[in-house]
Amino acid sequence: MSFIFNINTRINSQINTAPVINAVNILKRDIKKVFNSSNTDGGEIELLYDKTIEEESYIIKIRNRIEIYASDDLGFVYALLCISEKYLCIKPFWFWLDQKIEKHNSIVIDAGEIKSPVPAVRYRGWFFNDEVLLNKWTIEGDNRRVWEMAFEALLRCGGNTVIPGTDKNSRLNRELADKMGLWITHHHAEPLGAEMFSRAYPNVAPNFMECEELFYKLWEDAVKEQSGYKVIWNLCFRGQGDNPFWNSDTSGKFDTEEKRGALISSLIRKQCDIVRKYIKNPVFCTNLYGEIMELYDKGYIDLDDDIIKVKADNGYGKMVTRRRDNHDIRVSSMPVKGGGRQGIYYHVSFYDLQAANHITMLPNSVELVNNELGAVLNNDGNDFWMINCSNVKPHTYYLDAVRKKWWGMDINDESHSEEYTRDYYGGDAGAARALREYSHAMIQYGNNEDEHAGEQFYTENVRIIAHNIIRGESGNLRALNWIAKGDLYEQTEQLNAIVSNGLSGLREYFTFCGMISSGLEGDLKNLFDDTVFVQSKIHFYCASAVQIFCNSVAEIKNGNYKQAFLLAGDSAVMFDTANAAMRLSERGIWKDFYENDCFADIKHSAYMARKMMGTIRELGDNARHDKWYRDAVYAEEDKNIYLQLVLDNHMTDDELYNAMKEKTE
């Protein structure tokens, strides 16, 4: 006995909830993608309620029809997506990696039974944080479809929980997330998912001791707004941004760690009381993030046992507290065995204005991720995993790795790269090697195993240095003390040494990816170029731009202004090259995906290098801007003749740079 799956297969369901209807429509769409037209009957898929099955689980029975049994919405959703992946071969990241769907007339499925796997983690999801690319990108003019495809990918990975965006996005997307069946939770700086105090009350200082009733009202309003959703209520009290509340408090009453911890503990209890007023059997979590982790570790924060304690990695995949500015004490944030309900907030994308990755992949290995997440599970940190996925597309390789971990699988660079390329790159061995070699090519900026640089290492530090040179300041740059000491010139020299030490590895990796690309054809070549190869280009071109920029600064110090001017221009051109490579990867539906790259903002680094060119020109050229012009444009026998000062309009910095480059070539 077998089941004939084809374009005429019917899906019958008496379950009319929004998540199940949505999943049924996804499977219907996939059936149309896979099957050619046919006059043959395709049989039926029947959805049947069975209250004996555990929540979010399913049983699929295959005879001459397919019967799906589940007790709740997500059970049916996962079953329908299982059929899509197992029999139609629609992979979790099919959309984000342009999977080419193989067409069939029909598929014969042997009789049997499928029981849902048991996840290793209870609440597992993504945080769409720093999602600036998704904010402005559309699918055929529709931004809502972007979020539909993002939430679908999460469900296909077996996720059940989401922070559906940052700040305003989180509220805009709650309804859609709920309609797709997902639990909702909140940013670690937004208590109970409430509006930020300073937005609700823009003319009131956010000092709790002076206006506590306003805070309470915000929290209560948030609970009432979300009372119809499945919510994991985030308990916290931080500042009006991703920073400690005492940074903006003017009361002076929280000048010790003990006082800060006591306030946070009391407000968490208050938030619990507010939720229990409206919600039966609520689920609570609190993020022990950054400064909160340090207070908790010192015993200054007291939490009830039923609250899931969520600890975070440092943004680079290592379970230690994050570096903030120049403060980096690396306190362990690993869950503690027997420590009650525990979970993690984990980054495959991060934004720290220092060295993190946002438009490129996590710069550390799959094996480091496997070891850290394996230790989390071994230490009973299996209640809650929230993964920072930012804009999804640049991070699918590591999101797929984490997906395997929350199903309890063991992974390494070799196995994961081979499985991933089998799913999306036709099993190409070169693509697999390029993916697993990626982390080994990244620049190491510190002594710890996780201290490898994402693209922000290039763009942020250059802009800081350029800003100070333009302002005429050459003393110590506090913002760079985490990586280099001394005055601006000494710090730039140290930055140059770090980049130069790792540039050969990036060059080799870039060259290797180019070799792999040259051996591919058609859609596979486009996919490799637009995902893996483009990231090697971003790293290599940007790192090269930093090296050239640092050499320009060295020439400023030595008073060689014309050479400094040329090098600053060369650096800008190299940043332009990186940006152009990124934008050229926007093929087909991905047109303008990177247009709003406003975090790494490679193009702005080029802009700042060019602004520095103007400063250098003022230092080296004369007040009338004719000396460098004459040197670049005039014949040798003419440049010292001053019967007429100039013969052309005064040149812009770019025009002068191009003229000088042309003369030296």
Side-chain angles (χ1 to χ4, degrees):
M1 187 180 296
S2 57
F3 178 80
I4 306 299
F5 206 173
N6 67 17
I7 192 70
N8 298 315
T9 295
R10 300 173 300 283
I11 304 173
N12 299 322
S13 173
Q14 301 301 315
I15 301 159
N16 295 316
T17 61
V20 176
I21 292 171
N22 180 71
V24 166
N25 288 335
I26 288 174
L27 183 56
K28 287 180 177 178
R29 179 203 66 200
D30 294 347
I31 288 171
K32 290 179 181 178
K33 284 180 176 291
V34 169
F35 292 117
N36 298 313
S37 60
S38 172
N39 295 321
T40 305
D41 182 65
E44 295 180 342
I45 298 174
E46 188 84 18
L47 276 62
L48 301 165
Y49 183 76
D50 184 345
K51 66 180 181 179
T52 66
I53 296 176
E54 292 187 9
E55 62 179 338
E56 300 185 7
S57 300
Y58 59 82
I59 297 174
I60 302 173
K61 295 182 179 180
I62 305 167
R63 301 291 185 270
N64 57 356
R65 72 171 188 166
I66 292 178
E67 297 174 349
I68 298 174
Y69 296 89
S71 65
D72 65 353
D73 287 347
L74 276 178
F76 289 112
V77 169
Y78 293 146
L80 290 161
L81 295 178
C82 170
I83 290 170
S84 173
E85 180 174 1
K86 186 174 180 63
Y87 299 116
L88 304 184
C89 296
I90 309 292
K91 299 299 180 180
F93 296 103
W94 72 271
F95 172 79
W96 300 90
L97 290 168
D98 298 315
Q99 182 187 350
K100 301 306 170 186
I101 309 301
E102 186 178 351
K103 299 289 285 186
H104 297 272
N105 292 324
S106 65
I107 295 172
V108 178
I109 305 175
D110 292 336
E113 184 174 288
I114 302 171
K115 291 186 177 180
S116 55
V118 178
V121 180
R122 172 62 185 97
Y123 300 108
R124 19 182 220 285
W126 293 348
F127 179 11
F128 291 88
N129 187 30
D130 304 328
E131 67 278 22
V132 292
L133 304 185
L134 302 186
N135 285 346
K136 295 190 177 181
W137 180 61
T138 66
I139 299 174
E140 298 175 347
D142 187 354
N143 184 254
R144 181 181 171 87
R145 285 189 61 196
V146 172
W147 291 97
E148 288 173 349
M149 298 314 301
F151 295 162
E152 179 184 321
L154 172 56
L155 288 166
R156 286 182 176 274
C157 288
N160 61 4
T161 307
V162 68
I163 303 176
T166 308
D167 196 19
K168 293 181 180 180
N169 273 344
S170 67
R171 282 172 283 284
L172 287 172
N173 294 323
R174 280 173 185 165
E175 183 179 2
L176 175 61
D178 177 71
K179 286 183 176 179
M180 295 184 73
L182 293 162
W183 286 78
I184 294 163
T185 190
H186 315 113
H187 190 293
H188 47 264
E190 296 176 346
L192 308 180
E195 180 66 90
M196 298 299 290
F197 184 94
S198 291
R199 180 175 293 121
Y201 308 108
N203 298 316
V204 181
N207 295 330
F208 176 80
M209 300 302 291
E210 298 172 11
C211 46
E212 60 184 85
E213 292 302 323
L214 294 180
F215 280 95
Y216 295 156
K217 184 180 186 305
L218 276 181
W219 300 341
E220 189 156 3
D221 288 347
V223 174
K224 288 189 285 188
E225 287 168 9
Q226 299 169 81
S227 60
Y229 303 147
K230 296 184 300 184
V231 179
I232 302 170
W233 299 97
N234 176 49
L235 312 167
C236 65
F237 188 68
R238 299 191 75 204
Q240 296 303 290
D242 198 359
N243 55 70
F245 74 84
W246 52 87
N247 283 355
S248 58
D249 182 81
T250 58
S251 70
K253 296 180 179 179
F254 304 104
D255 55 352
T256 69
E257 291 181 322
E258 184 175 7
K259 293 176 183 177
R260 294 164 182 172
L263 179 65
I264 292 169
S265 300
S266 68
L267 293 184
I268 283 176
R269 286 190 289 272
K270 176 65 175 179
Q271 290 164 10
C272 287
D273 291 341
I274 292 173
V275 174
R276 290 190 179 106
K277 180 178 175 182
Y278 298 96
I279 307 297
K280 184 179 180 180
N281 300 321
V283 182
F284 294 121
C285 73
T286 189
N287 284 268
L288 304 178
Y289 188 66
E291 75 285 347
I292 306 297
M293 179 63 212
E294 294 178 32
L295 292 173
Y296 179 79
D297 190 63
K298 293 176 181 179
Y300 294 124
I301 293 180
D302 179 47
L303 300 171
D304 292 341
D305 291 340
D306 65 337
I307 299 172
I308 302 172
K309 297 180 287 295
V310 182
K311 298 181 179 180
D313 74 310
N314 63 348
Y316 297 80
K318 190 70 175 175
M319 291 302 298
V320 296
T321 52
R322 65 166 290 189
R323 177 179 60 245
R324 184 174 290 283
D325 299 323
N326 298 310
H327 183 61
D328 188 18
I329 59 175
R330 294 178 68 93
V331 172
S332 174
S333 57
M334 184 65 68
V336 178
K337 199 167 185 65
R341 304 188 73 186
Q342 299 178 91
I344 60 168
Y345 170 41
Y346 197 79
H347 297 78
V348 299
S349 174
F350 191 42
Y351 180 54
D352 68 352
L353 303 169
Q354 292 183 326
N357 66 296
H358 180 252
I359 55 172
T360 62
M361 292 188 289
L362 181 72
N364 288 308
S365 69
V366 167
E367 288 174 6
L368 183 146
V369 171
N370 180 67
N371 292 341
E372 293 299 295
L373 295 183
V376 167
L377 291 175
N378 289 337
N379 284 281
D380 301 332
N382 62 348
D383 286 291
F384 178 99
W385 283 16
M386 187 53 55
I387 312 303
N388 190 319
C389 67
S390 71
N391 302 283
V392 185
K393 182 176 172 62
H395 310 293
T396 55
Y397 184 61
Y398 284 88
L399 288 171
D400 198 50
V402 174
R403 169 186 71 89
K404 294 176 180 177
K405 291 305 297 181
W406 69 33
W407 288 107
M409 303 178 197
D410 195 49
I411 54 175
N412 58 52
D413 287 289
E414 185 166 357
S415 66
H416 181 59
S417 63
E418 290 176 355
E419 291 166 4
Y420 183 80
T421 51
R422 200 157 51 235
D423 285 343
Y424 302 107
Y425 295 80
D428 186 82
R433 183 181 168 191
L435 283 162
R436 65 175 172 265
E437 290 293 330
Y438 174 84
S439 65
H440 302 296
M442 297 299 103
I443 289 175
Q444 184 154 9
Y445 62 81
N447 296 323
N448 295 298
E449 63 173 338
D450 54 291
E451 292 181 324
H452 291 99
E455 80 284 341
Q456 290 165 54
F457 189 74
Y458 320 124
T459 59
E460 290 291 339
N461 296 314
V462 158
R463 295 200 290 259
I464 291 168
I465 295 168
H467 168 78
N468 282 275
I469 287 176
I470 293 165
R471 288 170 56 89
E473 298 172 359
S474 59
N476 173 261
L477 307 185
R478 186 180 182 279
L480 265 63
N481 282 340
W482 67 277
I483 193 65
K485 299 295 191 292
D487 65 19
L488 177 149
Y489 295 108
E490 292 169 321
Q491 290 175 300
T492 303
E493 185 178 354
Q494 292 167 54
L495 174 64
N496 196 2
I498 293 169
V499 172
S500 297
N501 188 52
L503 191 56
S504 61
L506 287 177
R507 181 181 292 106
E508 289 176 10
Y509 182 69
F510 164 76
T511 302
F512 172 73
C513 287
M515 181 185 69
I516 297 300
S517 173
S518 66
L520 301 175
E521 296 179 343
D523 292 335
L524 180 56
K525 175 179 170 59
N526 290 342
L527 176 62
F528 180 81
D529 288 357
D530 297 347
T531 54
V532 184
F533 194 12
V534 71
Q535 295 207 17
S536 77
K537 292 176 181 177
I538 290 171
H539 277 280
F540 175 61
Y541 294 144
C542 286
S544 298
V546 176
Q547 184 187 58
I548 297 167
F549 177 88
C550 292
N551 290 337
S552 171
V553 175
E555 295 298 344
I556 294 173
K557 179 183 180 182
N558 295 329
N560 298 326
Y561 297 118
K562 190 178 291 187
Q563 183 63 15
F565 179 84
L566 283 168
L567 287 169
D570 291 345
S571 176
V573 168
M574 194 60 78
F575 277 123
D576 284 341
T577 304
N579 186 64
M582 181 176 70
R583 298 306 304 274
L584 285 171
S585 73
E586 299 171 329
R587 213 180 305 266
I589 201 170
W590 302 105
K591 183 178 184 299
D592 295 331
F593 180 76
Y594 291 104
E595 182 179 23
N596 198 39
D597 163 37
C598 59
F599 277 7
D601 211 342
I602 298 171
K603 60 189 176 298
H604 191 61
S605 298
Y607 167 79
M608 288 300 292
R610 288 193 170 93
K611 281 192 75 173
M612 193 174 80
M613 289 169 66
T615 297
I616 298 168
R617 186 178 181 184
E618 299 308 321
L619 294 171
D621 202 357
N622 62 12
R624 294 189 175 90
H625 283 185
D626 69 288
K627 184 177 185 302
W628 283 8
Y629 153 80
R630 284 173 169 268
D631 290 344
V633 175
Y634 282 23
E636 191 66 30
E637 64 272 18
D638 295 332
K639 67 181 181 179
N640 291 318
I641 305 300
Y642 287 92
L643 296 176
Q644 293 175 305
L645 186 65
V646 294
L647 298 176
D648 306 290
N649 287 322
H650 287 84
M651 287 183 163
T652 65
D653 294 338
D654 273 349
E655 289 169 341
L656 179 59
Y657 166 80
N658 290 330
M660 293 167 73
K661 292 292 287 186
E662 185 176 341
K663 186 166 185 177
T664 58
E665 289 175 355

